[in-house]
Each structure stands twice: as structure tokens, then as C-alpha cells.
């Protein structure tokens, strides 16, 4: 395979990865709306009648499952960007014989170098925590402190939900990708 064919393969790889990244962004962003919609529906049902209060225990599971799905997609979006910025760019530089080229895919770095990026990423981190962790915790505490005497198994389920929500909250912070530039 000659250098021109290899470059075509790299460019095809770039196009396919950008397509996957765009699809994942759309899917990831829908997770917030879906979570809020389900949260509102279950909350409405649970608060409509005191006997429906156990429905509040569904909300933490919804937050966990959709929050984890959101997090996994967000991580893959960032991983694709990192691969394009660091690995694919270096492969292209090596095959063109021009190691001194500025980043070939300039946008992949430029949008990460914005002076407001850190603030935006922190705000997004807060929104993610509110959407997927705090809303689950709110439902859990609302149920837990509803004044009803609960069997031990329900306390156990609540404790498991609480621990899993805390783990999700920590994972969201770990994967927040607050770095600038490369």
C-alpha cells in the first residue's frame, strides 16, 4: 500500500469516527431529556396517592441506568476526540513525512482551548450530577422519610440505591474531562 492509499484509509477512519461521535452526542444528549421525563412521570404517579409512594424507588434505578448510559457515551465521545487529536494526527504526520505540521485536525484541539471551556465543563458536571444523582437521591430520601414503617428488605434496597448513586456521582466527576487543549 502506498502513502496515498494509507492517507485515504486514515481519512476514512477520521470520517467514520466523526460519524460515530456525532451519533453518540445525539444519543447522550437525549438521555437527559428522557431521565427528566421519566422522573416527572414517576414522581407525578407517586405523589398522586400516598399508596403509590413505592414508585419513588423506581427513580433511583432510572437515574442509575440512564446516568450510566449517558456516562459511557460521554466517555466514548471524549475517547474518540482524544484518539483523533493524538493518535490519528501522529499517524498522518508520520506517513506524510511532515512531523512539524500543526495539528492536522485543528478543530479537535481548538474547541478544547476556548477560555470558557473549564467553566462550561464544570457547569455541565453540575447539571449531570443534579440530573442523574441528586434527582435519584431526592426521590430516595422523599420515600425514606415519608414516615412509613418499612420492612428490612426495603431499607436494604434503599441502601443499595444510595450506594450506587454515590458511585455514579463519583464516576461522573472522574470522567468530567475538564482538561483544556490536547
Amino acid at each position: 500500500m502506498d502513502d496515498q492509499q494509507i492517507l485515504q484509509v486514515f481519512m476514512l477512519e477520521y470520517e467514520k469516527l466523526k460519524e460515530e461521535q456525532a451519533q453518540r452526542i445525539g444519543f447522550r444528549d437525549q438521555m437527559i431529556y428522557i431521565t427528566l421525563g421519566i422522573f416527572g412521570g414517576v414522581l407525578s404517579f407517586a405523589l398522586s396517592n400516598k399508596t403509590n409512594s413505592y414508585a419513588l424507588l423506581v427513580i433511583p434505578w432510572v437515574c442509575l441506568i440512564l446516568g450510566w448510559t449517558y456516562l459511557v457515551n460521554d466517555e466514548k465521545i471524549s475517547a474518540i476526540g482524544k484518539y483523533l487529536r493524538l493518535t490519528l494526527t501522529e499517524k498522518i504526520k508520520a506517513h506524510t513525512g511532515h512531523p512539524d505540521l500543526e495539528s492536522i485536525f485543528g478543530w479537535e484541539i481548538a474547541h478544547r482551548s476556548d477560555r470558557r471551556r473549564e467553566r462550561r465543563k464544570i457547569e455541565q458536571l453540575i447539571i449531570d450530577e443534579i440530573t442523574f444523582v441528586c434527582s435519584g437521591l431526592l426521590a430516595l430520601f422523599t420515600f425514606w422519610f415519608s414516615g412509613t414503617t418499612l420492612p428490612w428488605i426495603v431499607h436494604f434496597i434503599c441502601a443499595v440505591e444510595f450506594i450506587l448513586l454515590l458511585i455514579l456521582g463519583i464516576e461522573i466527576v472522574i470522567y468530567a474531562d475538564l482538561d483544556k487543549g490536547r
Side-chain angles (χ1 to χ4, degrees):
M1 208 185 262
D2 68 11
D3 282 346
Q4 196 65 345
Q5 289 172 319
I6 292 172
L7 288 175
Q8 287 176 341
V9 170
F10 289 153
M11 291 311 295
L12 182 61
E13 180 182 22
Y14 174 78
E15 290 172 20
K16 293 299 181 185
L17 286 171
K18 288 306 284 184
E19 285 175 19
E20 179 182 344
Q21 193 179 46
Q23 288 174 344
R24 285 184 178 276
I25 289 169
F27 182 75
R28 176 202 62 192
D29 292 351
Q30 291 301 313
M31 288 294 101
I32 291 175
Y33 303 122
I34 292 168
T35 302
L36 294 175
I38 292 173
F39 182 84
V42 172
L43 189 63
S44 175
F45 174 76
L47 297 178
S48 68
N49 188 330
K50 186 125 174 110
T51 60
N52 297 342
S53 65
Y54 276 85
L56 290 171
L57 294 181
V58 172
I59 292 174
W61 293 111
V62 168
C63 291
L64 285 165
I65 293 166
L66 295 180
W68 186 254
T69 304
Y70 176 93
L71 183 63
V72 167
N73 272 283
D74 191 57
E75 189 279 326
K76 294 298 180 221
I77 292 162
S78 294
I80 289 170
K82 185 175 182 179
Y83 174 81
L84 295 175
R85 285 189 314 277
L86 304 178
T87 305
L88 189 58
T89 298
E90 291 306 314
K91 286 180 181 181
I92 292 171
K93 285 180 183 180
H95 278 74
T96 60
H98 298 288
D100 59 338
L101 290 174
E102 290 301 313
S103 178
I104 295 167
F105 305 118
W107 173 247
E108 300 297 333
I109 293 175
H111 79 278
R112 295 179 57 86
S113 300
D114 172 351
R115 63 183 172 89
R116 290 182 226 108
R117 175 181 163 70
E118 185 177 7
R119 186 190 79 224
R120 274 195 324 272
K121 292 300 285 185
I122 290 170
E123 290 167 352
Q124 186 63 52
L125 172 62
I126 292 167
I127 290 168
D128 294 347
E129 292 285 0
I130 290 169
T131 303
F132 298 111
V133 179
C134 293
S135 59
L137 290 174
L138 178 64
L140 185 59
F141 290 139
T142 300
F143 174 79
W144 220 339
F145 297 114
S146 65
T148 310
T149 304
L150 304 171
W152 72 268
I153 190 73
V154 175
H155 283 285
F156 177 76
I157 291 169
C158 290
V160 168
E161 289 177 333
F162 179 77
I163 291 167
L164 292 174
L165 285 168
L166 290 180
I167 291 169
L168 177 63
I170 292 167
E171 291 296 313
I172 289 172
V173 170
I174 290 170
Y175 286 100
D177 190 23
L178 300 173
D179 296 335
K180 290 180 85 170
R182 294 182 67 88

